[in-house]
Amino acid sequence: MNKLPEGFLWGGATAANQCEGGYLEGNKGLSTVDVIPAGKDRFPVMLGKMNMFECDDEHFYPSHEAIDFYHHYKEDIALFAEMGFKCFRMSLAWARIFPNGDDAEPNEEGLKFYDDVFDECLKYGIEPLVTITHFDVPMNLVKAIGAWRSRKMVDYYERLCEVIFDRYKNKVKYWLTFNEINMLLHLPFIGAGLTFEPGENEEAVKYQAAHHQLVASAKATKIAHAINPDFKIGCMLAAGNTYANTCAPEDVWRSMEKDRENYFFIDVQSRGEYPNYAKKMFERHNISLKMEEGDEEILKNNTVDFISFSYYSSRLTSADPKVSAETEGNVFATLKNPYLKASEWGWQIDPLGLRITMNSIYDRYQKPLFIVENGLGAVDNPDENGYVEDDYRIEYLREHVKAMKAAVNEDGVELMGYTPWGCIDLVSASTGEMKKRYGFIYVDKDNEGNGTLKRSKKKSFNWYKKVIESNGAEL
Ligand code: BG6
């Protein structure tokens, strides 16, 4: 009871845009994330409110070098292996494979890079878990067709999937179609390469782009199962249940609405059709989705095999406009929950919320779950050898693993694995900082891009090693 099931996939998670660097190396094209600067302009760009389609000299772009996983992957994967990882979640940079998104042929150098990374993982018996797109669209497609606002994206994505599923069919079994697909509603440029014209119905643009991604995800699932019936395809939700601020029924209703905003995507990907509440919401907001013939059938017949999600915190909402003391929380605005402590970035810490979230998702879909992100972004103070005494991180992870075990062993939730976020320090997606660190491995680099890129083990490194060795018994 104290352990997790045999074969449980312990590991860690990263994303190409936050760790690879080498942003134009090996014939890679420019990606959306490469034009998102650090600093005050970051949010307006991620929201699609400020168009920045090229890089300039005034801004600093953290993705360009990131932690240079592109040249350090062997060293990094060796460290993951030393911790005993069974699984490594990473993403592909679309523009490394199709530099312009619409190229006739894929870029062999890009494909080869991922071959090498997968081979390195497999050498140590580490199973790759691959996110096909993690906040990443080739910039050429943004400029040429407005990225996911265009239906053509479905074809380009399909082509990408055909190429990668075929190429890696004997190396990768677990795939996620879109990272945090619901992020499209909150950070549309990062989630879907969207920017907006003044005065347009932004909700309509976002939901149309969402429809394109949902169809693309279902088509990917279809192609994947045809190429290799053993493939397991998952969706990916930025999760965290929304609590009601009081027991006033209005607050409870509001919290249900908030959760539905996020579940909407997974309802389609897992159940195979648009839920009625969404259809009614579209009517109220003058949104009429443009669907092509056959879309409904594609969605219906190609649902995901498992549900993956990120969990950093629960959320809190109120129907009362006067209650407005909002705090940050993984980009989703939320009220401050007086029962919870928060990280240095204001993200509230709620391990029991993970158990609650796991149960809600499992009750709703009855499919295996996979926690593909969880962790604490914190300031680390290394000694002269790069060693960090990160008891705060161990504490956060220990409590979350306990909650996860309770969901599995006491509530019967099916869980495939756990890959904490940023297993090696990397660039923060929301702020572009290096200072907000999640890793078991420290990387010597600061917010301005200075540092030797040297890797060193933190205290949590050995802690997590023991957790994996004991299959979760020793925390
Ligand atoms: C998730 C993303 O939203 O949260 C990751 O999938 C991101 O890309 C992670 O890095 C943590 O957020 P942040 O902003 O602290 O990096």
Side-chain angles (χ1 to χ4, degrees), residues 15 18 89 134-135 179-180 183 236 238 310 312 330 347 373 377 421 426-431 436 438:
Q18 288 162 265
R89 176 178 177 228
H134 189 130
F135 299 159
N179 179 62
E180 297 193 334
M183 195 59 86
M236 190 330 192
S310 60
Y312 293 91
N330 197 4
W347 292 24
E373 284 186 37
W421 177 249
L426 37 65
V427 176
S428 157
S430 56
T431 68
K436 190 179 186 192
Y438 287 85

Side-chain angles (χ1 to χ4, degrees), residues 342-354:
S343 78
E344 289 153 294
W345 274 264
W347 292 24
Q348 304 182 87
I349 301 173
D350 182 9
L352 182 55
L354 173 60

Side-chain angles (χ1 to χ4, degrees), residues 50-118:
M50 177 176 174
N51 289 4
M52 200 178 259
F53 288 178
E54 307 287 344
C55 303
D56 61 31
D57 294 336
E58 275 107 71
H59 291 89
F60 172 64
Y61 300 92
S63 81
H64 292 191
E65 184 190 53
I67 58 157
D68 197 27
F69 178 80
Y70 192 66
H71 297 108
H72 289 74
Y73 68 92
K74 287 193 180 171
E75 180 188 348
D76 296 344
I77 293 169
L79 286 165
F80 301 155
E82 196 183 326
M83 272 187 280
F85 278 23
K86 314 279 179 228
C87 172
F88 172 47
R89 176 178 177 228
M90 51 174 280
S91 75
L92 305 175
W94 186 340
R96 214 175 266 300
I97 298 175
F98 285 99
N100 299 298
D102 57 359
D103 314 71
E105 292 304 323
N107 169 33
E108 177 55 33
E109 230 181 308
L111 287 170
K112 170 81 173 50
F113 170 67
Y114 293 115
D115 262 320
D116 294 345
V117 172
F118 298 145

Side-chain angles (χ1 to χ4, degrees), residues 248-264:
E250 292 77 8
D251 282 351
V252 177
W253 176 254
R254 182 90 191 111
S255 70
M256 193 181 81
E257 282 187 317
K258 278 278 162 204
D259 276 343
R260 277 179 166 175
E261 218 173 86
N262 297 308
Y263 280 139
F264 152 78

Side-chain angles (χ1 to χ4, degrees), residues 163-426:
V163 167
I164 58 173
F165 291 156
D166 188 55
R167 174 88 172 209
Y168 306 125
K169 59 176 174 291
N170 300 317
K171 297 186 181 177
V172 180
K173 178 174 171 190
Y174 300 99
W175 302 87
L176 306 178
T177 51
F178 289 91
N179 179 62
E180 297 193 334
I181 190 163
N182 49 325
M183 195 59 86
L184 185 159
L185 300 178
H186 305 275
L187 293 177
F189 186 68
I190 232 189
L194 300 178
T195 56
F196 301 99
E197 300 303 325
E200 73 179 332
N201 182 344
E202 292 187 10
E203 291 305 297
V205 175
K206 287 196 259 184
Y207 279 105
Q208 187 62 47
H211 178 67
H212 296 150
Q213 290 196 347
L214 291 167
V215 171
S217 175
K219 286 193 167 190
T221 308
K222 183 174 181 188
I223 300 165
H225 288 150
I227 290 184
N228 185 345
D230 290 338
F231 275 175
K232 297 282 175 227
I233 311 297
C235 53
M236 190 330 192
L237 170 75
N241 274 34
T242 312
Y243 303 155
N245 193 39
T246 72
C247 48
E250 292 77 8
D251 282 351
V252 177
W253 176 254
R254 182 90 191 111
S255 70
M256 193 181 81
E257 282 187 317
K258 278 278 162 204
D259 276 343
R260 277 179 166 175
E261 218 173 86
N262 297 308
Y263 280 139
F264 152 78
F265 293 86
I266 312 303
D267 284 354
V268 180
Q269 288 175 297
S270 183
R271 296 164 165 172
E273 59 196 15
Y274 279 89
N276 285 348
Y277 68 80
K279 292 180 189 159
K280 292 289 175 192
M281 183 273 289
F282 292 155
E283 273 171 35
R284 283 196 302 279
H285 290 88
N286 284 327
I287 297 171
S288 52
L289 286 190
K290 284 184 219 75
M291 293 219 193
E292 282 190 5
E293 218 187 304
D295 280 1
E296 281 177 328
E297 209 184 325
I298 294 210
L299 294 175
K300 190 73 204 164
N301 295 336
N302 299 286
T303 55
V304 288
D305 300 311
F306 67 97
I307 318 283
S308 84
F309 64 94
S310 60
Y311 175 85
Y312 293 91
S313 184
S314 54
R315 299 157 188 155
L316 180 69
T317 194
S318 163
D320 181 350
K322 291 196 292 296
V323 185
S324 64
E326 288 190 341
T327 177
E328 294 300 312
N330 197 4
V331 184
F332 296 74
T334 168
L335 299 175
K336 235 181 209 138
N337 183 331
Y339 297 97
L340 302 178
K341 293 200 183 110
S343 78
E344 289 153 294
W345 274 264
W347 292 24
Q348 304 182 87
I349 301 173
D350 182 9
L352 182 55
L354 173 60
R355 183 174 175 185
I356 295 169
T357 299
M358 288 172 73
N359 275 278
S360 301
I361 301 178
Y362 189 64
D363 282 352
R364 195 168 179 113
Y365 304 115
Q366 299 282 302
K367 288 190 184 180
L369 308 187
F370 205 137
I371 303 172
V372 296
E373 284 186 37
N374 173 233
L376 177 74
V379 176
D380 286 338
N381 294 305
D383 67 13
E384 63 282 7
N385 302 313
Y387 179 74
V388 181
E389 193 108 10
D390 55 345
D391 292 296
Y392 38 91
R393 182 167 295 110
I394 295 174
E395 170 72 11
Y396 178 101
L397 293 169
R398 179 188 290 127
E399 293 311 309
H400 283 78
V401 172
K402 276 188 200 160
M404 162 179 111
K405 277 167 59 179
V408 173
N409 292 329
E410 292 172 43
D411 310 330
V413 170
E414 280 176 274
L415 183 67
M416 297 162 68
Y418 178 66
T419 56
W421 177 249
C423 46
I424 179 165
D425 290 348
L426 37 65

